[in-house]
Protein backbone atom coordinates (compact mmCIF):
# COMPACT_ATOMS: atom_id res chain seq x y z
CA UNK A 1 0.00 0.00 0.00
CA UNK A 2 1.27 3.48 -0.85
CA UNK A 3 2.21 5.71 2.08
CA UNK A 4 3.49 9.22 2.82
CA UNK A 5 4.31 11.43 -0.17
CA UNK A 6 7.70 12.91 -0.87
CA UNK A 7 7.73 16.68 -0.40
CA UNK A 8 8.37 18.93 -3.36
CA UNK A 9 11.90 20.35 -3.53
CA UNK A 10 12.13 24.11 -2.80
CA UNK A 11 13.52 24.71 -6.33
CA UNK A 12 10.53 22.89 -7.85
CA UNK A 13 8.11 24.91 -5.70
CA UNK A 14 9.88 28.08 -6.80
CA UNK A 15 9.75 27.14 -10.50
CA UNK A 16 6.04 26.33 -10.29
CA UNK A 17 5.15 29.50 -8.42
CA UNK A 18 7.19 31.84 -10.63
CA UNK A 19 4.14 33.10 -12.53
CA UNK A 20 3.14 32.15 -16.04
CA UNK A 21 6.01 30.08 -17.41
CA UNK A 22 7.59 31.26 -20.65
CA UNK A 23 9.38 29.38 -23.40
CA UNK A 24 13.07 29.87 -24.14
CA UNK A 25 13.94 31.59 -27.41
CA UNK A 26 17.22 33.23 -28.36
CA UNK A 27 18.50 32.69 -24.83
CA UNK A 28 15.61 34.62 -23.26
CA UNK A 29 12.53 33.54 -21.33
CA UNK A 30 9.98 34.72 -23.86
CA UNK A 31 6.21 34.90 -23.35
CA UNK A 32 5.41 35.01 -27.07
CA UNK A 33 2.75 37.35 -28.42
CA UNK A 34 -0.54 35.45 -28.34
CA UNK A 35 -1.52 36.54 -24.84
CA UNK A 36 -2.96 33.04 -24.40
CA UNK A 37 -1.98 30.48 -21.82
CA UNK A 38 -2.51 26.80 -21.09
CA UNK A 39 -2.26 24.70 -17.96
CA UNK A 40 -0.32 21.58 -17.18
CA UNK A 41 -1.74 19.28 -14.51
CA UNK A 42 -0.41 16.68 -12.11
CA UNK A 43 -1.87 13.41 -13.49
CA UNK A 44 -1.85 11.93 -9.98
CA UNK A 45 -4.09 14.62 -8.45
CA UNK A 46 -5.74 16.19 -11.48
CA UNK A 47 -4.76 19.59 -10.07
CA UNK A 48 -3.07 22.35 -12.12
CA UNK A 49 0.69 22.50 -11.64
CA UNK A 50 1.50 25.59 -13.66
CA UNK A 51 0.26 27.95 -16.32
CA UNK A 52 2.34 28.49 -19.46
CA UNK A 53 2.37 30.95 -22.31
CA UNK A 54 0.93 29.35 -25.45
CA UNK A 55 2.89 30.40 -28.51
CA UNK A 56 1.12 31.63 -31.62
CA UNK A 57 2.22 30.37 -35.04
CA UNK A 58 4.09 33.65 -35.59
CA UNK A 59 6.02 33.10 -32.33
CA UNK A 60 7.16 29.69 -33.51
CA UNK A 61 8.22 31.21 -36.83
CA UNK A 62 10.23 33.80 -34.97
CA UNK A 63 11.93 31.09 -32.90
CA UNK A 64 12.89 29.24 -36.10
CA UNK A 65 14.30 32.45 -37.60
CA UNK A 66 16.33 33.03 -34.42
CA UNK A 67 17.60 29.43 -34.45
CA UNK A 68 18.71 29.82 -38.07
CA UNK A 69 20.41 33.10 -37.24
CA UNK A 70 22.21 31.41 -34.33
CA UNK A 71 23.28 28.68 -36.74
CA UNK A 72 24.80 31.26 -39.06
CA UNK A 73 26.18 33.76 -36.58
CA UNK A 74 26.71 32.32 -33.09
CA UNK A 75 29.74 30.27 -34.04
CA UNK A 76 28.11 27.04 -32.80
CA UNK A 77 28.07 25.41 -36.23
CA UNK A 78 31.70 26.19 -36.96
CA UNK A 79 33.20 25.28 -33.58
CA UNK A 80 35.80 22.53 -33.72
CA UNK A 81 34.03 19.28 -32.70
CA UNK A 82 36.07 19.02 -29.50
CA UNK A 83 35.16 22.59 -28.46
CA UNK A 84 31.51 21.82 -29.10
CA UNK A 85 32.00 18.64 -27.08
CA UNK A 86 33.35 20.65 -24.13
CA UNK A 87 30.24 22.84 -24.15
CA UNK A 88 27.87 19.89 -24.41
CA UNK A 89 29.64 18.18 -21.52
CA UNK A 90 29.29 21.38 -19.49
CA UNK A 91 25.55 21.37 -20.27
CA UNK A 92 25.32 17.68 -19.29
CA UNK A 93 27.22 18.31 -16.04
CA UNK A 94 24.89 21.17 -15.12
CA UNK A 95 21.79 19.03 -15.76
CA UNK A 96 23.39 16.31 -13.63
CA UNK A 97 23.97 18.76 -10.79
CA UNK A 98 20.23 19.63 -10.91
CA UNK A 99 19.09 16.10 -11.63
CA UNK A 100 16.81 15.87 -8.57
CA UNK A 101 14.97 19.02 -9.61
CA UNK A 102 14.51 18.03 -13.26
CA UNK A 103 13.44 14.52 -12.21
CA UNK A 104 10.85 15.82 -9.76
CA UNK A 105 9.43 18.22 -12.35
CA UNK A 106 9.18 15.30 -14.76
CA UNK A 107 7.59 13.05 -12.10
CA UNK A 108 4.81 15.48 -11.21
CA UNK A 109 4.19 16.62 -14.78
CA UNK A 110 4.11 13.18 -16.44
CA UNK A 111 2.91 11.04 -13.51
CA UNK A 112 6.18 9.12 -13.28
CA UNK A 113 7.58 7.31 -10.27
CA UNK A 114 10.62 9.21 -8.93
CA UNK A 115 13.07 6.42 -9.80
CA UNK A 116 11.81 6.23 -13.37
CA UNK A 117 11.94 10.01 -13.76
CA UNK A 118 15.51 10.08 -12.42
CA UNK A 119 16.41 7.35 -14.93
CA UNK A 120 14.99 9.44 -17.77
CA UNK A 121 16.99 12.49 -16.74
CA UNK A 122 20.15 10.38 -16.47
CA UNK A 123 19.40 9.12 -19.98
CA UNK A 124 19.17 12.73 -21.22
CA UNK A 125 22.58 13.46 -19.66
CA UNK A 126 24.10 10.31 -21.17
CA UNK A 127 22.70 11.14 -24.62
CA UNK A 128 24.48 14.52 -24.52
CA UNK A 129 27.75 12.90 -23.47
CA UNK A 130 27.48 9.99 -25.90
CA UNK A 131 26.89 12.14 -28.99
CA UNK A 132 29.32 14.86 -27.88
CA UNK A 133 32.07 12.23 -27.72
CA UNK A 134 31.01 10.36 -30.85
CA UNK A 135 30.99 13.55 -32.95
CA UNK A 136 34.68 14.02 -32.16
CA UNK A 137 35.58 10.62 -33.56
CA UNK A 138 33.69 10.71 -36.85
CA UNK A 139 35.61 11.50 -40.01
CA UNK A 140 33.81 14.46 -41.53
CA UNK A 141 35.95 14.52 -44.68
CA UNK A 142 36.31 11.31 -46.70
CA UNK A 143 38.68 11.21 -49.65
CA UNK A 144 37.26 9.35 -52.69
CA UNK A 145 39.41 7.31 -55.09
CA UNK A 146 38.12 8.49 -58.51
CA UNK A 147 39.98 8.37 -61.83
CA UNK A 148 41.12 11.76 -63.14
CA UNK A 149 39.76 13.79 -60.23
CA UNK A 150 40.50 14.86 -56.75
CA UNK A 151 37.25 14.26 -54.85
CA UNK A 152 35.99 14.12 -51.31
CA UNK A 153 32.80 14.25 -49.34
CA UNK A 154 32.14 16.50 -46.41
CA UNK A 155 29.53 16.25 -43.64
CA UNK A 156 28.05 19.63 -42.74
CA UNK A 157 25.29 20.48 -40.24
CA UNK A 158 21.93 21.47 -41.71
CA UNK A 159 20.80 24.52 -39.72
CA UNK A 160 17.76 24.85 -37.45
CA UNK A 161 16.24 21.44 -36.68
CA UNK A 162 12.67 21.09 -35.39
CA UNK A 163 11.51 18.56 -32.78
CA UNK A 164 7.99 17.73 -31.63
CA UNK A 165 7.75 15.39 -28.63
CA UNK A 166 4.96 13.39 -26.95
CA UNK A 167 4.09 13.35 -23.25
CA UNK A 168 5.22 9.88 -22.25
CA UNK A 169 9.03 10.35 -22.11
CA UNK A 170 9.48 14.10 -22.46
CA UNK A 171 13.02 14.56 -21.20
CA UNK A 172 14.43 11.22 -22.35
CA UNK A 173 13.13 11.74 -25.89
CA UNK A 174 14.38 15.32 -25.92
CA UNK A 175 17.86 13.95 -25.18
CA UNK A 176 17.60 11.28 -27.87
CA UNK A 177 16.53 13.98 -30.33
CA UNK A 178 18.56 17.09 -29.66
CA UNK A 179 21.86 15.53 -28.50
CA UNK A 180 22.91 14.24 -31.96
CA UNK A 181 21.59 17.39 -33.66
CA UNK A 182 23.57 19.68 -31.35
CA UNK A 183 26.70 17.51 -31.43
CA UNK A 184 26.65 17.74 -35.23
CA UNK A 185 26.55 21.56 -35.03
CA UNK A 186 22.86 22.28 -35.63
CA UNK A 187 20.58 24.51 -33.60
CA UNK A 188 17.23 23.21 -32.29
CA UNK A 189 13.63 24.32 -31.78
CA UNK A 190 11.69 21.98 -29.48
CA UNK A 191 7.89 21.81 -29.17
CA UNK A 192 7.13 19.81 -26.01
CA UNK A 193 3.75 18.14 -25.46
CA UNK A 194 1.27 20.48 -23.81
CA UNK A 195 0.65 17.90 -21.07
CA UNK A 196 4.33 17.75 -20.04
CA UNK A 197 6.30 20.89 -20.94
CA UNK A 198 8.00 21.68 -17.61
CA UNK A 199 11.26 19.71 -17.65
CA UNK A 200 12.04 20.71 -21.27
CA UNK A 201 11.76 24.41 -20.38
CA UNK A 202 13.81 23.98 -17.22
CA UNK A 203 16.53 22.17 -19.14
CA UNK A 204 16.60 24.83 -21.90
CA UNK A 205 17.28 27.37 -19.14
CA UNK A 206 20.15 25.17 -17.97
CA UNK A 207 21.54 25.14 -21.52
CA UNK A 208 21.67 28.92 -21.33
CA UNK A 209 23.22 28.86 -17.83
CA UNK A 210 25.88 26.41 -19.00
CA UNK A 211 27.03 28.92 -21.60
CA UNK A 212 25.51 27.50 -24.77
CA UNK A 213 25.25 30.38 -27.27
CA UNK A 214 21.90 32.19 -27.44
CA UNK A 215 19.45 30.70 -29.91
CA UNK A 216 21.09 27.26 -30.06
CA UNK A 217 18.50 25.56 -27.77
CA UNK A 218 14.96 26.95 -28.08
CA UNK A 219 11.75 25.58 -26.54
CA UNK A 220 8.39 26.77 -27.88
CA UNK A 221 5.47 25.83 -25.59
CA UNK A 222 1.97 25.72 -27.01
CA UNK A 223 -0.84 23.64 -28.39
CA UNK A 224 -0.12 20.94 -30.95
CA UNK A 225 -2.67 22.28 -33.41
CA UNK A 226 -1.07 25.76 -33.26
CA UNK A 227 2.60 25.65 -32.20
CA UNK A 228 3.21 22.06 -33.40
CA UNK A 229 1.49 22.69 -36.73
CA UNK A 230 3.45 25.94 -37.20
CA UNK A 231 6.77 24.24 -36.52
CA UNK A 232 6.09 21.40 -38.94
CA UNK A 233 4.90 23.84 -41.64
CA UNK A 234 7.89 26.18 -41.31
CA UNK A 235 10.01 26.08 -44.47
CA UNK A 236 12.99 27.47 -42.53
CA UNK A 237 13.37 24.22 -40.61
CA UNK A 238 16.14 22.23 -42.27
CA UNK A 239 15.32 18.88 -40.67
CA UNK A 240 12.25 17.83 -38.73
CA UNK A 241 11.77 15.10 -36.15
CA UNK A 242 8.39 14.09 -34.78
CA UNK A 243 7.68 11.55 -32.06
CA UNK A 244 4.05 10.76 -31.33
CA UNK A 245 0.95 9.15 -32.76
CA UNK A 246 0.68 7.94 -36.38
CA UNK A 247 -2.33 10.26 -36.86
CA UNK A 248 -0.39 13.44 -36.05
CA UNK A 249 2.74 11.98 -37.66
CA UNK A 250 0.89 11.93 -40.98
CA UNK A 251 0.03 15.63 -40.62
CA UNK A 252 3.63 16.51 -39.78
CA UNK A 253 4.91 14.35 -42.66
CA UNK A 254 2.51 16.05 -45.09
CA UNK A 255 3.51 19.54 -43.96
CA UNK A 256 7.23 18.73 -44.25
CA UNK A 257 6.64 17.07 -47.62
CA UNK A 258 5.07 20.25 -48.97
CA UNK A 259 8.22 22.18 -47.99
CA UNK A 260 10.57 19.35 -49.04
CA UNK A 261 11.98 19.29 -45.51
CA UNK A 262 13.47 15.90 -44.57
CA UNK A 263 11.50 14.38 -41.69
CA UNK A 264 11.88 11.55 -39.24
CA UNK A 265 8.71 10.10 -37.74
CA UNK A 266 8.90 7.93 -34.60
CA UNK A 267 5.35 6.63 -34.10
CA UNK A 268 3.24 4.13 -32.19
CA UNK A 269 3.46 0.38 -31.81
CA UNK A 270 1.69 -2.85 -30.99
CA UNK A 271 4.64 -5.05 -30.09
CA UNK A 272 4.52 -8.79 -29.54
CA UNK A 273 6.30 -10.96 -26.99
CA UNK A 274 6.66 -14.54 -28.25
CA UNK A 275 7.10 -16.88 -25.28
CA UNK A 276 8.27 -20.45 -25.97
CA UNK A 277 7.70 -23.48 -23.76
CA UNK A 278 11.29 -23.68 -22.45
CA UNK A 279 11.31 -20.41 -20.47
CA UNK A 280 11.27 -19.90 -16.72
CA UNK A 281 7.52 -19.22 -16.69
CA UNK A 282 7.38 -17.22 -13.47
CA UNK A 283 10.37 -15.01 -14.31
CA UNK A 284 9.07 -14.30 -17.82
CA UNK A 285 5.57 -13.49 -16.55
CA UNK A 286 7.09 -11.14 -13.96
CA UNK A 287 9.11 -9.32 -16.62
CA UNK A 288 6.18 -8.94 -19.02
CA UNK A 289 3.90 -7.72 -16.24
CA UNK A 290 6.72 -5.30 -15.37
CA UNK A 291 6.77 -4.13 -19.01
CA UNK A 292 3.05 -3.25 -19.14
CA UNK A 293 2.93 -1.65 -15.71
CA UNK A 294 6.14 0.39 -16.16
CA UNK A 295 5.01 4.00 -16.68
CA UNK A 296 1.48 2.55 -16.63
CA UNK A 297 2.02 0.99 -20.05
CA UNK A 298 2.38 4.35 -21.81
CA UNK A 299 5.33 3.12 -23.85
CA UNK A 300 5.34 3.03 -27.65
CA UNK A 301 7.50 -0.10 -27.90
CA UNK A 302 5.78 -2.06 -25.15
CA UNK A 303 4.88 -5.74 -25.47
CA UNK A 304 1.10 -5.57 -25.69
CA UNK A 305 0.42 -8.79 -27.60
CA UNK A 306 1.66 -11.78 -25.64
CA UNK A 307 1.90 -14.92 -27.78
CA UNK A 308 2.32 -17.86 -25.43
CA UNK A 309 3.15 -21.48 -26.26
CA UNK A 310 -0.03 -23.46 -25.64
CA UNK A 311 1.67 -25.99 -23.33
CA UNK A 312 2.61 -23.35 -20.72
CA UNK A 313 -0.39 -21.03 -21.09
CA UNK A 314 -2.26 -22.00 -17.86
CA UNK A 315 0.92 -21.73 -15.76
CA UNK A 316 1.85 -18.46 -17.45
CA UNK A 317 -1.55 -16.92 -16.73
CA UNK A 318 -1.36 -18.03 -13.10
CA UNK A 319 2.11 -16.48 -12.77
CA UNK A 320 0.90 -13.22 -14.36
CA UNK A 321 -1.99 -13.01 -11.92
CA UNK A 322 0.43 -13.51 -9.06
CA UNK A 323 2.75 -10.78 -10.37
CA UNK A 324 -0.19 -8.41 -10.93
CA UNK A 325 -1.30 -8.94 -7.32
CA UNK A 326 1.96 -7.27 -6.27
CA UNK A 327 1.26 -4.09 -8.25
CA UNK A 328 0.47 -1.16 -5.98
CA UNK A 329 -1.45 1.61 -7.77
CA UNK A 330 -1.00 5.02 -6.19
CA UNK A 331 0.13 8.60 -6.39
CA UNK A 332 3.47 8.71 -8.16
CA UNK A 333 5.32 10.44 -5.30
CA UNK A 334 3.93 8.13 -2.60
CA UNK A 335 6.38 5.63 -1.19
CA UNK A 336 5.29 2.13 -2.07
CA UNK A 337 3.54 3.02 -5.33
CA UNK A 338 4.64 0.71 -8.14
CA UNK A 339 2.23 1.97 -10.80
CA UNK A 340 1.13 5.61 -11.07
CA UNK A 341 -1.60 7.34 -13.08
CA UNK A 342 -2.01 7.72 -16.84
CA UNK A 343 -1.33 11.19 -18.15
CA UNK A 344 -4.82 12.71 -18.37
CA UNK A 345 -8.55 12.01 -18.37
CA UNK A 346 -8.58 11.49 -22.15
CA UNK A 347 -5.94 8.78 -21.87
CA UNK A 348 -7.81 7.09 -18.99
CA UNK A 349 -10.99 7.06 -21.08
CA UNK A 350 -9.05 5.71 -24.07
CA UNK A 351 -7.66 2.78 -22.02
CA UNK A 352 -11.02 1.96 -20.43
CA UNK A 353 -12.79 2.35 -23.78
CA UNK A 354 -10.48 -0.11 -25.56
CA UNK A 355 -10.92 -2.70 -22.81
CA UNK A 356 -14.70 -2.32 -23.03
CA UNK A 357 -14.69 -2.60 -26.84
CA UNK A 358 -12.33 -5.57 -26.74
CA UNK A 359 -14.62 -7.45 -24.36
CA UNK A 360 -17.67 -6.47 -26.45
CA UNK A 361 -15.91 -8.03 -29.46
CA UNK A 362 -15.47 -11.31 -27.56
CA UNK A 363 -12.17 -11.02 -25.69
CA UNK A 364 -11.95 -12.93 -22.42
CA UNK A 365 -11.14 -10.55 -19.53
CA UNK A 366 -8.60 -12.75 -17.73
CA UNK A 367 -7.73 -9.84 -15.43
CA UNK A 368 -10.57 -7.34 -15.93
CA UNK A 369 -8.89 -3.94 -15.41
CA UNK A 370 -11.13 -0.88 -15.06
CA UNK A 371 -10.85 2.47 -13.33
CA UNK A 372 -8.86 2.55 -10.09
CA UNK A 373 -9.48 4.73 -7.05
CA UNK A 374 -6.62 6.17 -5.03
CA UNK A 375 -7.69 7.56 -1.67
CA UNK A 376 -7.47 11.34 -1.47
CA UNK A 377 -6.33 11.78 -5.08
CA UNK A 378 -8.53 12.81 -7.94
CA UNK A 379 -6.04 11.68 -10.60
CA UNK A 380 -6.30 9.43 -13.63
CA UNK A 381 -5.86 5.87 -12.42
CA UNK A 382 -6.56 2.56 -14.17
CA UNK A 383 -6.01 -1.05 -13.17
CA UNK A 384 -3.80 -3.38 -15.22
CA UNK A 385 -5.75 -5.66 -17.53
CA UNK A 386 -5.13 -8.93 -19.36
CA UNK A 387 -7.38 -9.86 -22.26
CA UNK A 388 -7.25 -13.08 -24.28
CA UNK A 389 -8.76 -14.58 -27.38
CA UNK A 390 -8.75 -14.05 -31.13
CA UNK A 391 -6.16 -11.57 -32.37
CA UNK A 392 -8.79 -10.25 -34.73
CA UNK A 393 -10.04 -7.99 -31.94
CA UNK A 394 -9.77 -4.23 -31.68
CA UNK A 395 -7.83 -4.50 -28.40
CA UNK A 396 -5.31 -6.81 -30.10
CA UNK A 397 -4.90 -4.68 -33.21
CA UNK A 398 -4.86 -1.05 -32.09
CA UNK A 399 -2.43 0.78 -29.82
CA UNK A 400 -4.07 1.31 -26.41
CA UNK A 401 -1.18 2.97 -24.54
CA UNK A 402 -2.00 1.74 -21.06
CA UNK A 403 -1.37 -1.26 -18.79
CA UNK A 404 -3.20 -3.72 -21.03
CA UNK A 405 -1.91 -6.86 -22.75
CA UNK A 406 -3.73 -9.17 -25.10
CA UNK A 407 -2.84 -12.90 -24.94
CA UNK A 408 -3.12 -15.65 -27.54
CA UNK A 409 -1.56 -19.11 -27.88
CA UNK A 410 0.52 -20.83 -30.57
CA UNK A 411 2.01 -24.29 -31.11
CA UNK A 412 4.57 -23.87 -33.93
CA UNK A 413 7.43 -21.42 -34.38
CA UNK A 414 6.27 -20.32 -37.87
CA UNK A 415 2.79 -19.74 -36.54
CA UNK A 416 4.17 -17.51 -33.76
CA UNK A 417 6.22 -15.44 -36.23
CA UNK A 418 3.20 -15.00 -38.53
CA UNK A 419 1.06 -13.90 -35.56
CA UNK A 420 3.71 -11.42 -34.39
CA UNK A 421 4.00 -9.94 -37.88
CA UNK A 422 0.25 -9.68 -38.44
CA UNK A 423 0.06 -5.98 -37.54
CA UNK A 424 0.16 -2.61 -39.27
CA UNK A 425 2.86 -1.50 -36.83
CA UNK A 426 6.55 -2.41 -36.77
CA UNK A 427 8.29 -0.96 -33.75
CA UNK A 428 9.55 -3.59 -31.31
CA UNK A 429 8.99 -7.25 -30.45
CA UNK A 430 10.67 -9.75 -28.16
CA UNK A 431 11.26 -13.50 -28.18
CA UNK A 432 11.65 -15.51 -24.99
CA UNK A 433 13.39 -18.91 -25.07
CA UNK A 434 16.51 -20.64 -23.76
CA UNK A 435 17.25 -21.95 -27.29
CA UNK A 436 19.45 -19.12 -28.56
CA UNK A 437 19.43 -20.46 -32.14
CA UNK A 438 15.66 -20.27 -32.20
CA UNK A 439 15.80 -16.89 -30.48
CA UNK A 440 18.01 -15.42 -33.22
CA UNK A 441 15.92 -17.03 -36.00
CA UNK A 442 12.65 -15.64 -34.65
CA UNK A 443 14.15 -12.26 -33.78
CA UNK A 444 15.43 -11.87 -37.36
CA UNK A 445 12.05 -12.91 -38.84
CA UNK A 446 10.11 -10.25 -37.00
CA UNK A 447 9.17 -7.28 -39.21
CA UNK A 448 9.99 -4.31 -37.00
CA UNK A 449 12.75 -1.87 -36.19
CA UNK A 450 13.79 -3.71 -33.05
CA UNK A 451 13.80 -7.33 -31.84
CA UNK A 452 14.80 -8.14 -28.28
CA UNK A 453 15.79 -11.54 -26.87
CA UNK A 454 14.72 -12.58 -23.34
CA UNK A 455 13.95 -8.98 -22.40
CA UNK A 456 11.70 -6.15 -23.51
CA UNK A 457 12.46 -2.39 -23.70
CA UNK A 458 16.25 -2.37 -24.19
CA UNK A 459 17.97 0.85 -25.28
CA UNK A 460 21.73 0.64 -24.86
CA UNK A 461 23.38 3.68 -26.42
CA UNK A 462 24.82 2.89 -29.83
CA UNK A 463 22.07 0.42 -30.81
CA UNK A 464 19.75 2.02 -33.41
CA UNK A 465 16.12 2.32 -32.32
CA UNK A 466 13.38 3.08 -34.83
CA UNK A 467 10.22 1.78 -36.47
CA UNK A 468 8.92 0.59 -39.81
CA UNK A 469 5.46 0.59 -41.41
CA UNK A 470 2.97 2.52 -39.25
CA UNK A 471 5.61 2.83 -36.50
CA UNK A 472 7.93 5.22 -38.25
CA UNK A 473 9.92 6.38 -41.23
CA UNK A 474 13.07 8.31 -41.89
CA UNK A 475 15.67 6.89 -39.61
CA UNK A 476 15.60 6.28 -35.91
CA UNK A 477 17.52 7.38 -32.85
CA UNK A 478 20.25 6.46 -30.41
CA UNK A 479 23.11 5.41 -32.71
CA UNK A 480 25.85 6.66 -34.98
CA UNK A 481 23.32 6.63 -37.84
CA UNK A 482 21.34 9.27 -35.94
CA UNK A 483 24.37 11.49 -35.75
CA UNK A 484 24.90 11.10 -39.51
CA UNK A 485 21.26 12.14 -40.05
CA UNK A 486 22.16 15.54 -38.62
CA UNK A 487 24.86 16.18 -41.21
CA UNK A 488 24.09 16.80 -44.85
CA UNK A 489 26.55 15.16 -47.18
CA UNK A 490 28.34 17.31 -49.73
CA UNK A 491 30.70 16.19 -52.47
CA UNK A 492 33.59 18.27 -53.73
CA UNK A 493 35.36 17.43 -57.03
CA UNK A 494 38.27 18.91 -59.02
CA UNK A 495 39.50 17.56 -62.39
CA UNK A 496 43.19 16.70 -62.31
P1 LIG B 1 0.39 12.99 -30.26
O1 LIG B 1 0.67 12.60 -31.65
O2 LIG B 1 -1.01 13.30 -29.88
O3 LIG B 1 1.22 14.31 -29.86
C1 LIG B 1 2.62 14.36 -30.04
C2 LIG B 1 3.05 15.80 -30.19
O4 LIG B 1 2.47 16.33 -31.38
C3 LIG B 1 2.63 16.73 -29.05
O5 LIG B 1 3.68 17.62 -28.77
C4 LIG B 1 1.46 17.48 -29.65
O6 LIG B 1 1.29 18.76 -29.09
C5 LIG B 1 1.90 17.59 -31.09
N1 LIG B 1 0.80 17.84 -32.05
C6 LIG B 1 -0.52 17.61 -31.89
N2 LIG B 1 -1.21 18.00 -33.00
C7 LIG B 1 -0.29 18.47 -33.88
C8 LIG B 1 -0.37 18.98 -35.19
N3 LIG B 1 -1.53 19.11 -35.82
N4 LIG B 1 0.77 19.33 -35.81
C9 LIG B 1 1.97 19.19 -35.20
N5 LIG B 1 2.10 18.72 -33.92
C10 LIG B 1 0.98 18.37 -33.27
O7 LIG B 1 1.03 11.84 -29.36
P2 LIG B 1 0.95 11.67 -27.79
O8 LIG B 1 -0.44 11.29 -27.43
O9 LIG B 1 1.59 12.86 -27.13
O10 LIG B 1 1.95 10.44 -27.57
C11 LIG B 1 1.57 9.12 -27.68
C12 LIG B 1 2.00 8.54 -29.01
O11 LIG B 1 3.40 8.72 -29.20
C13 LIG B 1 1.77 7.05 -29.09
O12 LIG B 1 1.26 6.71 -30.35
C14 LIG B 1 3.18 6.49 -28.91
O13 LIG B 1 3.33 5.19 -29.42
C15 LIG B 1 4.00 7.49 -29.62
N6 LIG B 1 5.42 7.44 -29.22
C16 LIG B 1 6.34 6.92 -30.10
C17 LIG B 1 7.69 6.83 -29.72
C18 LIG B 1 8.75 6.23 -30.64
O14 LIG B 1 9.94 6.38 -30.35
N7 LIG B 1 8.39 5.58 -31.73
C19 LIG B 1 8.08 7.27 -28.46
C20 LIG B 1 7.12 7.79 -27.60
C21 LIG B 1 5.78 7.87 -28.00
Amino acid sequence: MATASRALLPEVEQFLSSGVIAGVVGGDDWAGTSGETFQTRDPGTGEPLAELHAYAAADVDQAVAIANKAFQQSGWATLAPNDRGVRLHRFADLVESRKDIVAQLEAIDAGKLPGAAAGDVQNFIESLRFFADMAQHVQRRSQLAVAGHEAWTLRNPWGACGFIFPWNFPILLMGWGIAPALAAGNTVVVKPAEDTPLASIYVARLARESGMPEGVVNVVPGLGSVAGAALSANAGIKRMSFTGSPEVGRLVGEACGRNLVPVKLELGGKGAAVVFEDVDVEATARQLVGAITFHTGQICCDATRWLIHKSIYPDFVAACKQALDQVSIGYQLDNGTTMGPVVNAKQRDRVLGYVEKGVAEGADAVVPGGAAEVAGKDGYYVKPCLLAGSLDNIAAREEIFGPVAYMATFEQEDEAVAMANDTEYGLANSVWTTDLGRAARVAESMVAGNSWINAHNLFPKGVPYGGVNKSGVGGGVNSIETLFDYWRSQSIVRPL
Side-chain angles (χ1 to χ4, degrees), residues 310-489:
K310 201 171 179 181
S311 62
I312 57 165
Y313 184 71
D315 292 345
F316 180 82
V317 169
C320 288
K321 285 183 175 171
Q322 223 172 13
L324 282 168
D325 282 344
Q326 308 301 312
V327 173
S328 175
I329 301 168
Y331 182 55
Q332 66 269 25
L333 296 192
D334 281 352
N335 296 323
T337 293
T338 59
M339 192 176 91
V342 294
V343 73
N344 55 27
K346 185 174 159 207
Q347 192 60 25
R348 180 187 55 197
D349 295 347
R350 177 184 169 103
V351 174
L352 299 178
Y354 266 116
V355 171
E356 216 170 276
K357 282 187 241 167
V359 171
E361 283 189 14
D364 178 17
V366 176
V367 174
E373 295 297 325
V374 170
K377 305 284 180 201
D378 199 14
Y380 316 115
Y381 297 97
V382 297
K383 294 178 190 161
C385 169
L386 294 183
L387 300 174
S390 157
L391 289 176
D392 193 18
N393 179 295
I394 190 165
R397 305 203 72 82
E398 297 188 9
E399 184 182 45
I400 298 174
F401 227 53
V404 183
Y406 198 102
M407 301 186 292
T409 59
F410 69 90
E411 289 180 271
Q412 303 298 328
E413 181 180 317
D414 290 357
E415 184 192 359
V417 170
M419 288 161 84
N421 288 340
D422 185 15
T423 173
E424 291 181 299
Y425 290 99
L427 190 51
N429 300 299
S430 55
V431 49
W432 302 72
T433 173
T434 50
D435 176 345
L436 292 184
R438 172 161 69 181
R441 207 165 49 233
V442 171
E444 289 186 3
S445 308
M446 287 166 154
V447 181
N450 318 279
S451 288
W452 294 311
I453 295 174
N454 294 334
H456 206 96
N457 295 336
L458 295 175
F459 314 100
K461 296 250 172 284
V463 177
Y465 171 78
V468 300
N469 298 335
K470 204 173 155 184
S471 292
V473 294
V477 289
N478 234 2
S479 78
I480 193 161
E481 293 166 23
T482 322
L483 182 62
F484 286 174
D485 286 341
Y486 287 99
W487 281 310
R488 61 184 173 81
S489 180

Side-chain angles (χ1 to χ4, degrees), residues 164-169 173 176 191-194 222-225 228-229 232 242-246 248-249 251-252 266-269 299-300 399 401 427 465 471:
I164 300 177
F165 293 117
W167 44 258
N168 61 339
F169 284 87
L173 292 173
W176 285 9
K191 208 304 268 172
E194 46 270 61
L223 304 184
S225 56
S232 44
F242 169 83
T243 312
S245 62
V248 179
L251 299 177
V252 173
E266 313 286 341
L267 308 174
I299 304 180
C300 51
E399 184 182 45
F401 227 53
L427 190 51
Y465 171 78
S471 292

